[in-house]
Amino acid sequence: MSLRVLALCGGIGGAKLALGLHTVLPPGHLTVVANTGDDFEHLGLCISPDVDTVLYTLAGIANPQTGWGRAEETWHFMAELERVGGPTWFQLGDKDLATHVERTRRLRSGERLHEIIDDFSRRFGIAGTVVLPMSNDSVRTIVHADQGNLGFQDYFVARRCAPIVQRISYQRAEQAHAAGTVLQQLAESHFDAVIICPSNPYLSIQPLLAIPEWHSALQHSPAPVIAISPIIAGNAVKGPTAKIMRELGVDVSAVAVARHYDELIDGFVVDEADANCMAQLTVRALATRTLMQTLADKQSLAQQVLQFAATLR
């Protein structure tokens, strides 16, 4: 399948489908835009967790057990940081640390984030796929919870998603702009399909949608927009998606995810376990196996989504 695809994703779940698309599409046919609402500064370093997860996954150097961080990582820095009394709640492996140090150095020298990521992609050997941040501007996901207003990493890592979520906001999204020329390419029909990967709708995709020009571009996209549900049979494959939906008073279902994207999408993909919900959807739908445990699973889902996209063009 030789469609030209724009894929929007967050961390682990989104990166899995991005890898499937990367391996089945011809070189030059895939652009992946990663969430940067999770970005923060830690130990004086600029950390971009979702961007790095996408880079490491596409490069084949991600930790296969966790899905994040580097394979065959060592932890000498963290051990020494603990020895001298530094904060160890956010783990930075030795290989991973080099990425953050170099990104921080280059940002402070005046380079833009998308330029740095493009260079990292080349150095990691990611050929034929463009990886972009959703914005070069700072957008920060804030979780308003029973324990106060929490930065994303405080909620997600330090407090392990335990606080009860009351609402979520996206600081400075109104003033942010898309990185590079990707929206111009979308408007000029450079892409044949836009795929919203099976990432957390509230934490991984909504930070991008909260940027007005991104929302408008998807709403008026000349290419069909397709979302894949991260919910399978009432449960999230990974992470706090189901917990957050319950706490926000949203039904934990694929249908609720489709309604979240309702005004933006032309098609929706559910797991075969949720095939009976398709009649409740207001857009065309595909039921297939969406659980991605192996590379073959990722490639199979990618092929299914591409074939579905071709029917919507």
Side-chain angles (χ1 to χ4, degrees):
M1 187 68 63
S2 59
L3 300 183
R4 298 163 301 173
V5 173
L6 174 62
L8 314 178
C9 73
I12 298 172
K16 288 181 178 181
L17 182 56
L19 177 60
L21 292 166
H22 172 69
T23 57
V24 303
L25 285 168
H29 281 62
L30 177 62
T31 297
V32 179
V33 175
N35 167 47
T36 56
D38 297 5
D39 289 17
F40 75 127
E41 187 170 299
H42 183 60
L43 300 174
L45 299 174
C46 301
I47 315 290
S48 296
D50 282 1
V51 168
D52 293 346
T53 294
V54 171
L55 288 173
Y56 296 160
T57 299
L58 296 186
I61 57 175
N63 183 325
Q65 279 74 48
T66 62
W68 56 268
R70 292 287 300 272
E72 301 178 354
E73 186 62 279
T74 55
W75 302 93
H76 302 300
F77 170 77
M78 292 306 301
E80 292 306 310
L81 184 65
E82 184 174 24
R83 185 195 297 264
V84 297
T88 58
W89 62 271
F90 192 86
Q91 295 286 295
L92 297 172
D94 301 328
K95 295 179 181 179
D96 188 37
L97 184 64
T99 302
H100 307 311
V101 169
E102 179 61 5
R103 174 170 44 236
T104 303
R105 182 190 72 80
R106 292 170 69 165
L107 283 170
R108 290 177 180 165
S109 73
E111 286 189 63
R112 293 177 294 179
L113 182 58
H114 83 271
E115 296 168 335
I116 298 167
I117 292 170
D118 185 62
D119 187 52
F120 283 177
S121 295
R122 181 177 59 82
R123 293 176 183 275
F124 286 142
I126 301 171
T129 289
V130 175
V131 180
L132 290 169
M134 69 184 195
S135 179
N136 289 321
D137 303 313
S138 173
V139 176
R140 296 296 175 259
T141 299
I142 305 298
V143 178
H144 303 265
D146 62 336
Q147 296 181 22
N149 299 337
L150 309 172
F152 176 84
Q153 301 300 341
D154 188 2
Y155 166 77
F156 190 76
V157 180
R159 307 191 192 212
R160 303 186 183 216
C161 307
I164 297 172
V165 177
Q166 297 165 340
R167 68 184 180 92
I168 302 170
S169 64
Y170 311 95
Q171 194 176 69
R172 297 188 291 275
E174 288 286 331
Q175 293 78 43
H177 299 281
T181 61
V182 64
L183 293 191
Q184 180 182 340
Q185 292 177 316
L186 179 59
E188 293 175 353
S189 299
H190 176 82
F191 299 108
D192 300 307
V194 179
I195 297 173
I196 301 176
C197 295
S199 301
N200 186 307
Y202 307 96
L203 299 180
S204 296
I205 303 298
Q206 194 59 38
L208 178 149
L209 299 181
I211 298 173
E213 65 180 26
W214 263 113
H215 190 279
S216 177
L218 294 176
Q219 201 169 24
H220 300 98
S221 170
V225 180
I226 300 165
I228 296 92
S229 175
I231 298 293
I232 299 176
N235 292 294
V237 175
K238 191 175 180 67
T241 305
K243 174 181 180 292
I244 289 172
M245 293 175 78
R246 284 192 293 269
E247 291 168 358
L248 293 177
V250 178
D251 183 40
V252 183
S253 67
V255 173
V257 175
R259 287 173 180 159
H260 180 78
Y261 295 131
D262 192 38
E263 63 177 357
L264 301 176
I265 60 174
D266 304 288
F268 192 64
V269 179
V270 301
D271 188 79
E272 54 197 6
D274 293 309
N276 60 353
C277 81
M278 292 170 63
Q280 302 175 55
L281 303 177
T282 58
V283 295
R284 286 184 58 186
L286 168 71
T288 188
R289 176 182 165 84
T290 61
L291 186 64
M292 294 175 284
Q293 297 172 310
T294 66
L295 177 58
D297 291 338
K298 300 174 181 71
Q299 293 171 328
S300 176
L301 180 57
Q303 292 280 22
Q304 291 283 326
V305 173
L306 292 172
Q307 290 168 12
F308 181 46
T311 70
L312 298 176
R313 290 179 61 198

